[in-house]
Amino acid sequence: MAIDWLGFGYAAAIGFGGFMGYKRKGSVMSLIAGLVFGALSAYGALKISMDVRDTSISLLSSGVLALVMGMRFKNSGKLLPAGLMAVLSLLMFVRTLFRIMM
């Protein structure tokens, strides 16, 4: 059983980003979204750690987050946090797709 360290790191980054959005701007929605998507991503990483082919949760969470944060980046033009999370989520989505193909 290989542990999906990148998946867990990605989940931690999402949770930390939500916490920082709350801490800096007082955004409760950032906190909730960060915790929900961070938990989903951590659960997806756990599922991949147990079975490499079980990628549905990771694909769903990283795909939705890539779309949402990509749209926010397009509207705001701000690299942080929307652009960074869109790129990280897109990279995780592509990485997970490659796991399916291999």
Side-chain angles (χ1 to χ4, degrees):
M1 179 169 100
I3 298 174
D4 185 15
W5 290 110
L6 284 176
F8 285 115
Y10 170 70
I14 294 170
F16 182 71
F19 172 73
M20 290 306 293
Y22 174 72
K23 189 78 169 159
R24 289 185 176 202
K25 303 281 185 181
S27 174
V28 176
M29 282 307 294
S30 288
L31 179 63
I32 292 170
L35 292 177
V36 168
F37 277 100
L40 273 174
S41 297
Y43 181 64
L46 177 66
K47 299 281 278 182
I48 288 175
S49 295
M50 291 190 284
D51 179 13
V52 178
R53 307 295 275 173
D54 193 3
T55 59
S56 58
I57 302 293
S58 289
L59 275 176
L60 178 70
S61 64
S62 62
V64 168
L65 201 55
L67 283 173
V68 169
M69 295 307 263
M71 289 188 308
R72 286 188 63 197
F73 174 67
K74 183 181 173 194
N75 292 337
S76 70
K78 294 181 181 180
L79 184 62
L80 287 176
L84 179 64
M85 286 312 301
V87 169
L88 284 177
S89 297
L90 185 61
L91 288 174
M92 278 303 291
F93 185 79
V94 169
R95 175 183 175 260
T96 307
L97 279 178
F98 279 133
R99 283 183 166 254
I100 292 172
M101 290 186 239
M102 298 181 125

